[in-house]
Amino acid sequence: MVNRNRPWHIEQHGIDVIPVEERHGRPGEMFWVWFGANLGILGVIYGVILVAYGLNFWQSVLAMGLGLASFGLVGAFTVAGRDGGAPMMMLSRVVFGTRGNVVVAFLSWLSLVGWETIAVITASWAGAGLWNQVTGQVTPVWGQVTIIGVVVGVTVALGLFGQATLVVMQKVFSALFGVLTLVIALWLVPGTHWAWIQNAKNGPWLTGFVPAWSFIVAGTGLSWTNAAADYSRYVSPRVPGRRLFWAALGGGALPLAGLIGIGIFVGTRDPGLAAAANPILALGQLVPRFLAVPYLITVVGGLVAEADLSLYSSGLALLALDLPWRRERTVLLDALLMMLGALYVVVWAHNFYAVFESFILLLGVGLAAWSGVFGADQMMYGRTRGYPAARMTPGPFAPRVRWEAVVGFGLGTVLGLMVTASPLFTGPWAGGIFLHSSLELVVAGVGAAVIYIAGSLTRRMTKPVNKTGENVWNE
């Protein structure tokens, strides 16, 4: 059979299950996919933010380590992609039902389009800084439009080619921007306030450490869970799940561990950096002038390496809504929305950025609840039932709605929103440690998982189960 997924050729598969004979992926490919996606200089800002929570050095390191463990979810869902050979939102149909999954797929699509737009906006601001460094002038409107067009153009080209090209380019991005990031990051370390590292006392554990940990969870591994299987669906089913798990976890966590660690050192000299209106450009003020241009190029490159994955996955999520399009058309539609959104914020509505970002973060509460349900289902039924293709498309073997999953997702989302504090919405319980944190995502995910497990166990006692240990839904 002809391989329909080759680098620099437009990928022919959409949301269909990849035939076993076309699955040639290896764990190393997944390592570089996630390494490149998490190599952005924004990781340094995360480290500064940990210090801004009032933590000392060792508390900051501990919060970083426990937060990056959230890439374990990416690793687990990557294994699910190998098992099912289908994109993440198609595997989700097995858990939620072919109709029960509609809301989840829509949320995933909206969130991915939102985050890729934010990446383009941030890259355009960095590009404007680059323009200023090179020309000595403020970027004109036509220059801003040009920068956005270039960033979107590169992102769209990679998204159109598809999975095989993305795997190759993420490795290239890792090598190219990894070296630049390392040089710039190491330049920032000598200004560290070493006396603070030795003498600083513990910060508050409940109101400082816990919110800081939740911030790292939300901004790293948890934010990628709804795209994890999109890249591993081409991995050979003969690849051991353990190797695949550690490849994805290590690929995502290792670059961020280095970047956040350096950010902790930087935070000792200027913890106020975290509160800057544009922390990326503020961080650039700490590097010497001869490194300013490489710094801004690194920022833009890291954001493109993040946006290209989001664009590819958003197209697949849109197809999971049963849109009768080819994959390339969904990529072009999402690219149009991404460009219009970036132009609107950068050229016209500068004050809209904070509102837009808050809206995307609110969507994250629902996706955290989805992650909790999917993870719990994988733990209970992943080894026995797997992700059969017959349960991804409407038919006699595919339940329309799995109510345990839908109810768990809905109630978990409500629990998360109850403790959410944002400019757009504040829940009735959003006080204390829930202020200025991302704990609402943890509450939503854990709550949804517990509710789903309880519902599944209850159904086991009241309905027959099949040989996989799962309830017989269609009886």
Side-chain angles (χ1 to χ4, degrees):
M1 179 176 290
V2 178
N3 184 1
R4 293 188 287 170
N5 183 45
R6 293 178 292 164
W8 310 114
H9 292 73
I10 293 180
E11 180 185 356
Q12 298 302 303
H13 288 292
I15 55 174
D16 51 315
V17 175
I18 308 302
V20 174
E21 57 269 24
E22 292 188 39
R23 301 188 206 174
H24 305 295
R26 301 182 300 276
E29 295 175 353
M30 296 303 102
F31 176 88
W32 291 114
V33 163
W34 297 115
F35 192 97
N38 293 281
L39 197 58
I41 205 75
L42 192 61
V44 176
I45 305 298
Y46 285 177
V48 176
I49 290 173
L50 288 179
V51 177
Y53 272 105
L55 308 184
N56 67 15
F57 176 77
W58 295 111
Q59 285 178 309
S60 298
V61 171
L62 181 61
M64 174 188 73
L66 294 178
L68 291 179
S70 61
F71 274 103
L73 284 173
V74 176
F77 295 0
T78 296
V79 174
R82 177 211 63 177
D83 294 341
M88 197 76 249
M89 286 299 111
M90 292 301 289
L91 300 182
S92 183
R93 286 185 176 188
V94 177
V95 179
F96 286 82
T98 56
R99 287 292 171 262
N101 191 60
V102 168
V103 172
V104 170
F106 180 74
L107 280 178
S108 179
W109 171 73
L110 203 57
S111 176
L112 287 164
V113 171
W115 282 117
E116 69 201 31
T117 303
I118 286 176
V120 170
I121 292 169
T122 309
S124 70
W125 285 340
L130 181 61
W131 182 294
N132 179 260
Q133 287 288 334
V134 173
T135 66
Q137 299 177 349
V138 176
T139 311
V141 172
W142 67 265
Q144 293 175 322
V145 173
T146 301
I147 292 169
I148 291 174
V150 171
V151 173
V152 170
V154 174
T155 303
V156 171
L158 297 177
L160 277 175
F161 280 122
Q163 193 265 2
T165 302
L166 286 170
V167 167
V168 171
M169 287 307 300
Q170 291 299 98
K171 192 171 184 178
V172 172
F173 286 148
S174 298
L176 178 60
F177 298 117
V179 173
L180 287 172
T181 301
L182 181 63
V183 170
I184 292 165
L186 290 178
W187 191 276
L188 298 170
V189 172
T192 300
H193 186 186
W194 299 106
W196 177 88
I197 291 179
Q198 295 175 348
N199 302 321
K201 296 181 180 180
N202 286 343
W205 287 95
L206 187 61
T207 59
F209 178 85
V210 173
W213 162 76
S214 70
F215 172 80
I216 298 298
V217 169
T220 59
L222 187 61
S223 65
W224 285 113
T225 52
N226 58 323
D230 297 345
Y231 309 96
S232 60
R233 60 197 176 117
Y234 284 97
V235 171
S236 169
R238 294 187 295 273
V239 171
R242 185 176 301 175
R243 287 181 58 197
L244 195 58
F245 172 85
W246 286 109
L249 188 155
L254 285 177
L256 280 170
L259 291 168
I260 295 174
I262 290 172
I264 293 172
F265 288 120
V266 174
T268 67
R269 61 195 280 191
D270 187 9
L273 195 65
N278 191 332
I280 289 179
L281 292 183
L283 181 63
Q285 300 300 315
L286 300 179
V287 301
R289 187 172 181 80
F290 73 89
L291 279 179
V293 171
Y295 170 78
L296 292 168
I297 291 174
T298 302
V299 170
V300 174
L303 289 164
V304 169
E306 175 186 333
D308 59 7
L309 296 191
S310 294
L311 179 63
Y312 176 77
S313 290
S314 66
L316 295 176
L318 191 57
L319 288 175
L321 292 169
D322 285 330
L323 194 68
W325 285 7
R326 290 180 60 85
R327 186 188 63 82
E328 303 93 281
R329 292 184 66 184
T330 64
V331 170
L332 292 174
L333 172 63
D334 291 351
L336 177 63
L337 295 175
M338 174 173 62
M339 187 162 188
L340 291 176
L343 287 172
Y344 180 70
V345 171
V346 173
V347 178
W348 291 290
H350 305 284
N351 296 329
F352 184 68
Y353 180 77
V355 176
F356 181 59
E357 186 177 37
S358 297
F359 173 69
I360 301 303
L361 289 171
L362 282 178
L363 296 180
V365 176
L367 290 177
W370 167 82
S371 296
V373 171
F374 191 92
D377 179 89
Q378 186 180 25
M379 180 180 64
M380 297 177 72
Y381 305 121
R383 288 181 177 272
T384 52
R385 178 208 61 209
Y387 302 93
R391 298 191 60 163
M392 298 181 198
T393 54
F397 300 103
R400 291 173 60 85
V401 178
R402 288 189 62 202
W403 288 106
E404 286 82 344
V406 172
V407 171
F409 164 75
L411 292 181
T413 301
V414 170
L415 285 174
L417 291 175
M418 294 288 277
V419 296
T420 294
S422 78
L424 288 183
F425 174 82
T426 299
W429 302 337
I433 62 173
F434 296 109
L435 290 173
H436 312 298
S437 75
S438 298
L439 275 171
E440 67 273 9
L441 304 184
V442 178
V443 169
V446 173
V450 170
I451 293 167
Y452 174 74
I453 292 172
S456 293
L457 293 177
T458 301
R459 179 66 71 94
R460 276 188 178 186
M461 294 185 290
T462 58
K463 290 198 69 175
V465 296
N466 58 24
K467 62 182 180 180
T468 69
E470 188 189 29
N471 302 112
V472 181
W473 302 102
N474 291 328
E475 291 188 352

